[in-house]
Amino acid sequence: MSGIYFHIPFCKQACHYCDFHFSTSLKLKNDVVKGMLWELDKQKEYINENIETIYFGGGTPSILSIDELSVLLEKVHHNFNTSGVKEVTLEANPDDITKEKLAFWKKLGITRLSIGLQSFYGPHLELMNRAHNAEESLNAVKMAQDAGFDNLTIDLIYGIPFQDHSVWYKDLETALSLNVPHISSYCLTVEEKTALGAWTKKGKFKPAEDEYSAEQFEHLVKTLSQNGYDHYEISNFAKPGFYSQHNSAYWKGKPYLGIGPGAHSFNGSDSRQYNVSNNAKYVKSIVQENILMFDKEMLTRADGINEYILTTLRTIWGCDLQFLLDNYQFDLLKEMKEEVDRFYVSDWIKVKNNHLILTEKGKLFADKISSELFV
């Protein structure tokens, strides 16, 4: 089974931490949607498997009109076998959510909402330049629940500098009070080409110390685990039955088709491709030249092994050692014995049912462990 991902590269305003591809100008929005429809026609042979999940990410997908969402979904259903679709996700900002939109989204077949709250603390929302306030966050979730969206996830950001952990503790307490079945939580990362990056370079912003962020992550894991959430991926927590099926497919190496400027695609075996991350170039290439601008990367055996290790180690399922042996003739425990032994002694990893899995302690060092196991 495969997935389709739409990258909607538009936002009302630029968040100070975000380095994803997006534009705050909406003048090309209609043309980009037309380009996506064209791309869905041209790329319908990219994956031959049935479609299991559809995901609207960005950017801010909730900025699309009902008509725009509708024609994109209609084209997907027309061009692909969607009889087995289990999940259709729409990312939405709280300030875009209204009762009318929720009713339309439900009617269109959106089954899962991902609401970008980030924090319930006003000054932190202002620091990040979010377009909503804490009250809108709370109201958005409650409206979605009242509209019948049981499959909800919210985003929270930790590691925002403060004098203590009180704001983070309160954010988690508030999130739990909403009784949503899925929470994604990410550490605030300062990227070079963002406002936070510029401020940090000028000394106007000081990122949190690693130890501070690690303490907040540990509190996050402990608190959500105590409240019935499975920590099924480093940044994702869900009640049983509410794991993100689309994102889980990424982590399990399933093929997917990415549509829109900046979207990525993976054929499930040996190649990836990356659409041009420029709205004007994307539109021009399609409208004037009838071609899609993208870069293609052929994956080597080492690429396949390393990516499988990187993605699977972040999950509750861990790295399937037999899969590596069967598909790449790579015996990880033998080939990387020195590193595996060192991580085992440090209580960072364990082997269970022929899967290499991170311990709770090891989750703090996931990227380091993965990189040192690369071939």
Side-chain angles (χ1 to χ4, degrees):
M1 304 292 272
S2 304
I4 293 179
Y5 171 81
F6 287 94
H7 186 75
I8 310 302
F10 301 101
C11 293
K12 288 180 180 177
Q13 60 191 51
C15 295
H16 288 160
Y17 57 85
C18 181
D19 70 341
F20 291 172
H21 169 58
F22 69 92
S23 171
T24 54
S25 169
L26 304 183
K27 67 179 183 179
L28 288 178
K29 184 158 72 83
N30 290 339
D31 290 332
V32 166
V33 171
K34 290 177 183 176
M36 289 179 168
L37 294 171
W38 177 94
E39 193 180 354
L40 284 167
D41 282 334
K42 295 295 182 180
Q43 296 284 70
K44 61 184 178 183
E45 305 299 330
Y46 184 81
I47 45 179
N48 298 315
E49 302 179 32
N50 294 349
I51 300 303
E52 188 174 34
T53 60
I54 302 169
Y55 195 106
F56 289 91
T60 310
S62 54
I63 213 166
L64 292 181
S65 69
I66 297 301
D67 287 341
E68 289 165 340
L69 273 173
S70 180
V71 294
L72 289 172
L73 283 170
E74 284 175 10
K75 181 68 76 171
V76 170
H77 293 308
H78 181 266
N79 285 356
F80 301 88
N81 186 337
T82 57
S83 59
V85 166
K86 299 178 180 178
E87 179 185 271
V88 183
T89 301
L90 178 76
E91 291 183 354
N93 278 352
D95 45 295
D96 286 331
I97 294 177
T98 64
K99 291 181 180 179
E100 292 73 24
K101 280 188 176 182
L102 288 164
F104 278 120
W105 292 340
K106 195 82 174 173
K107 189 176 181 180
L108 283 179
I110 303 298
T111 63
R112 182 174 183 266
L113 281 185
S114 175
I115 305 178
L117 307 185
Q118 315 311 351
S119 177
F120 298 99
Y121 183 58
H124 283 180
L125 291 172
E126 292 170 12
L127 170 70
M128 294 184 280
N129 200 36
R130 297 295 291 168
H132 65 277
N133 57 41
E135 184 179 1
E136 286 175 314
S137 292
L138 294 169
N139 289 339
V141 173
K142 291 172 182 175
M143 275 195 291
Q145 290 169 329
D146 289 343
F149 281 97
D150 299 320
N151 196 352
L152 282 175
T153 179
I154 61 173
D155 287 352
L156 295 175
I157 290 180
Y158 65 92
I160 303 173
F162 196 68
Q163 61 189 15
D164 54 27
H165 298 309
S166 58
V167 170
W168 179 235
Y169 291 174
K170 182 65 176 176
D171 271 355
L172 280 180
E173 182 182 321
T174 304
L176 287 171
S177 73
L178 293 172
N179 197 32
V180 293
H182 190 289
I183 296 174
S184 296
S185 190
Y186 307 93
C187 184
L188 181 67
T189 304
V190 176
E191 303 291 350
E192 185 178 352
K193 296 179 180 180
T194 63
L196 284 185
W199 295 344
T200 301
K201 193 174 182 179
K202 294 177 182 178
K204 295 181 179 180
F205 178 78
K206 184 178 180 182
E209 298 290 339
D210 289 345
E211 184 179 352
Y212 176 90
S213 297
E215 288 173 354
Q216 294 200 344
F217 176 75
E218 290 172 335
H219 181 74
L220 166 74
V221 173
K222 180 181 177 182
T223 300
L224 294 187
S225 296
Q226 289 175 343
N227 283 274
Y229 291 82
D230 295 337
H231 189 192
Y232 75 103
E233 195 272 342
I234 292 293
S235 303
N236 289 274
F237 305 78
K239 298 288 182 68
F242 288 95
Y243 294 9
S244 168
Q245 296 185 55
H246 184 86
N247 290 333
S248 293
Y250 288 158
W251 304 321
K252 293 178 180 179
K254 293 185 179 182
Y256 57 89
L257 172 62
I259 299 293
H264 294 186
S265 301
F266 174 51
N267 72 352
S269 58
D270 62 358
S271 77
R272 291 194 178 283
Q273 58 192 56
Y274 316 90
N275 288 355
V276 61
S277 294
N278 182 296
N279 294 354
K281 288 182 179 179
Y282 175 84
V283 169
K284 182 182 177 182
S285 68
I286 291 173
V287 173
Q288 295 185 11
E289 303 169 22
N290 202 40
I291 61 172
L292 176 65
M293 289 183 66
F294 66 89
D295 292 321
K296 188 172 184 178
E297 175 188 8
M298 298 306 297
L299 303 176
T300 65
R301 172 178 177 269
D303 291 333
I305 292 171
N306 293 345
E307 183 157 314
Y308 185 78
I309 291 171
L310 177 68
T311 55
T312 58
L313 262 188
R314 293 178 60 88
T315 70
I316 195 174
W317 309 287
C319 181
D320 187 339
L321 302 173
Q322 191 62 45
F323 178 91
L324 286 174
L325 201 57
D326 292 344
N327 290 273
Y328 298 104
Q329 296 74 54
F330 182 69
D331 188 334
L332 189 150
L333 297 186
K334 180 180 178 181
E335 298 288 340
M336 311 301 292
K337 185 177 187 305
E338 181 180 336
E339 290 80 2
V340 169
D341 287 347
R342 175 158 46 88
F343 296 146
Y344 186 82
V345 170
S346 299
D347 190 30
W348 287 3
I349 60 171
K350 60 185 177 181
V351 177
K352 183 178 180 181
N353 298 326
N354 209 29
H355 283 67
L356 190 68
I357 302 171
L358 297 181
T359 63
E360 288 301 312
K361 186 178 178 181
K363 289 174 183 177
L364 288 167
F365 309 99
D367 291 341
K368 173 181 172 61
I369 294 169
S370 296
S371 64
E372 293 196 27
L373 292 177
F374 287 172
V375 296

